Amino acid sequence: MQLRNVAIIAHVDHGKTTLVDQLFRQSGTFRDNQRVEERAMDSNDLEKERGITILAKPTSVDWSPDGTPENSVRINIVDTPGHADFGAEVERILSMVDGVILLVDSSEGAMPQTKFVTGKALKLGLRPIVVVNKVDRSDARIQEVLDEVFDLFVSLEANDDQLDFPVLFASGRNGYASTDPEAREGTLTPMFEKIVAHVPPPAVDPDAEFKFLVTLLDRDNFLGRILTGRVEQGTVRTNQPIHALDMDGNVIETGRASKIMSFRGLDRVPVDEAKAGDIISLAGLTVATVSNTICDTSVSQPIQAQPIDPPTLSMRFAVNDSPMAGREGTKVTSRMIRDRLLREAESNVAIRVTEAADKDSFEVAGRGELQLGVVIETMRREGFELGISRPRVLFGTDENGNKTEPYETVVIDVDEEFSGTVVEKMNLRKAEMTDMRPSGGGKTRITFSAPSRGLIGYHGEFLSDTRGTGIMNRLFEKYGPHKGPIEGRKNGVLISNGTGEANAYSLNSLEERGILFVGHGEALYEGMIIGENAKTEDLEVNPMKAKQLTNIRSSGKDDAIRLTPPRKMTLEQAIAYIDDDEMVEVTPKSIRLRKRYLDPNERKRQSRQKAA
């Protein structure tokens, strides 16, 4: 059977996973009466809840131009994440494919993340097929978007073959694609035809010894470690002796290919053998990991893996030492946390874990707040309790020994009335505006080059400033000169001075001090942050004080107290909100803010030392 390996790349929300749904339906992968969830490729709970793709996942469809099985072509498709924080997923899988489909929204056009992934694909010499998606939008600007894509390719130094790209106009949700920008009905047959005609078959050697580069790592309760990648050369059969080589050609382990699985639609199907060009999953090894070469025991030369961009941000994951530790989670010890983080770093090559000297905390470095937030959210759902510090950027040094820090390209789409506020706030965070232009529909697109440090915690403030209508996209740009001190959070916090339950009577009097994060009856402890102070300094308060009763004053004498609903933060908002001397306590059921040092005397001692 003929083979084609292709990756679908696009910015967040431009419609990749929805398009794959339609490719499944129209290729006959699903039965007509089969019940299939929307966005079938977003398989884990977090992906379904957030509506974004987090993990790269291979799948395959069989398509025949004349409907006969003997002429069918197997198209292996890799669905990739659109967010730059998960960029390492994309960098790895590009080595498995021979072509890419670049999906661009007909209104938003080429966005920063599009640039990031496309740059990697063009550098590998892959020839793209450009699909302008959502052509039925009322605010579509198809020709301008095509011009933007061409300009993007030129700026990324694409060669002549890559610049001569075929274009399709599609609506993934409605299941049609056409070479005519005015078409508003049809099927995805033109897309299948374009893939078969434009993407070359795998250029591999079927007669050489078996070689296979691991690009994705998965676990199965029955099969153990499952390694996924493309067979670069040769053939592998079940129970064949194999060994794993690292980047330098050293043998890591030897074993047998106990199970070989190929992708058929959404399922992994066991097969007896796999040939060069196939994308498969392999079980049988216990140590081999991402970027290792799995091969026949006679092979000693590894396949060179793609280099991965380094992490730019780190957080401290500590054992939860609050007075409420161990009440809600089942995994609370440093050994359990270390094992889980090392397992995560194995399968996610963009994450780096280092153990602190006190053995009770770990420095976890990654690409951004969202990526680390997903790791924390996954761990709390597994029953872990953690104390998380404020994110900090990883500094570097240039050739002259000067301190450098990561910069990001920030593209902001806002209504014109809010553009002044956004520019002013970004200037305070040491960002430099590089471009400003109207983007249609009364919106303005502003591009900044900003130090990553200044953007930590800004997103919530940005949404407030733009009344929730602004869209911000960020992408790592470079390491540049250190910008000096950047102003952080302006307001102080309200800190509980004792342990007990929050009382409506005292919370009612505290409301005029600021914004509360807790409601009546919630369990509190000394050093826990219960609200935001309206002033700049921190304030210790007593949120547990009840009304004093006498034989004259009864508890029900006054009017019923009506409290303003407390501000409840999501995990990402909490991580972005805290200051350097604060932590987020994360448990399976709760997210609490607290001071790093719960004892007020210890906090004073630490602040004096810092000032000295």
Side-chain angles (χ1 to χ4, degrees), residues 53-68:
T53 304
I54 294 171
L55 303 168
K57 291 175 282 292
T59 183
S60 80
V61 297
D62 290 351
W63 177 78
S64 172
D66 53 8
T68 57

Side-chain angles (χ1 to χ4, degrees), residues 1-5 20 24 27-30 34 40-41 57-63 72-77 260-275 277-281:
M1 184 183 277
Q2 289 190 63
L3 258 185
R4 297 289 185 277
N5 295 326
V20 174
F24 280 148
S27 63
T29 304
F30 299 149
Q34 189 172 341
M41 291 293 286
K57 291 175 282 292
T59 183
S60 80
V61 297
D62 290 351
W63 177 78
S72 66
V73 182
R74 174 156 298 143
I75 302 171
N76 286 319
I77 301 170
I260 303 165
M261 289 165 288
S262 187
F263 293 89
R264 299 287 182 273
L266 296 175
D267 303 319
R268 270 199 285 229
V269 181
V271 291
D272 292 331
E273 66 169 29
K275 293 187 167 64
D278 264 341
I279 293 177
I280 59 160
S281 292

Side-chain angles (χ1 to χ4, degrees), residues 85 144 203:
D85 279 20
E144 291 104 301

Side-chain angles (χ1 to χ4, degrees), residues 526-527 581 583 594-600 602-603 606:
E526 185 181 20
D581 63 336
M583 292 175 77
R594 51 164 282 192
K595 286 289 182 182
R596 176 172 289 178
Y597 301 103
L598 300 177
D599 179 30
E602 182 61 30
R603 284 202 296 276
Q606 292 295 331

Side-chain angles (χ1 to χ4, degrees), residues 1 39 95 110 123 171 195 239 258 268 348 419:
M1 184 183 277
R39 297 198 315 276
S95 62
K123 218 171 265 176
S171 169
I195 292 171
N239 286 326
S258 61
R268 270 199 285 229
N348 191 341
S419 56

Side-chain angles (χ1 to χ4, degrees), residues 134-254:
K134 306 185 188 180
V135 289
D136 50 349
R137 281 182 66 156
S138 57
D139 56 351
R141 40 187 201 94
I142 295 170
Q143 198 49 53
E144 291 104 301
V145 166
L146 267 181
D147 293 342
E148 282 176 23
V149 172
F150 188 82
D151 293 344
L152 173 67
F153 282 19
V154 172
S155 70
L156 293 171
E157 299 174 1
N159 61 37
D160 291 348
D161 270 358
Q162 291 167 332
L163 287 174
D164 187 20
F165 53 83
V167 180
L168 289 170
F169 305 94
S171 169
R173 175 166 288 176
N174 297 319
Y176 63 81
S178 173
T179 50
D180 175 15
E182 301 302 319
R184 292 294 177 269
E185 58 182 27
T187 65
L188 289 174
T189 302
M191 186 173 290
F192 285 117
E193 290 171 351
K194 226 24 138 206
I195 292 171
V196 172
H198 189 73
V199 177
V204 287
D205 183 357
D207 302 320
E209 298 294 343
F210 165 64
K211 257 190 188 182
F212 164 93
L213 180 68
V214 182
T215 46
L216 299 169
L217 178 65
D218 199 3
R219 263 187 175 69
D220 185 278
N221 291 339
F222 303 105
L223 299 173
R225 184 171 291 219
I226 295 178
L227 309 164
T228 301
R230 180 169 80 163
V231 181
E232 292 295 330
Q233 60 182 50
T235 303
V236 60
R237 293 177 182 84
T238 309
N239 286 326
Q240 178 179 326
I242 50 173
H243 65 194
L245 306 175
D246 64 11
M247 306 271 273
D248 302 320
N250 305 314
V251 177
I252 303 166
E253 69 168 321
T254 305

Side-chain angles (χ1 to χ4, degrees), residues 301-317:
Q301 194 63 35
I303 303 166
Q304 287 310 306
Q306 287 299 313
I308 302 292
D309 289 349
T312 58
L313 196 80
S314 77
M315 286 183 201
R316 194 167 138 266
F317 284 46

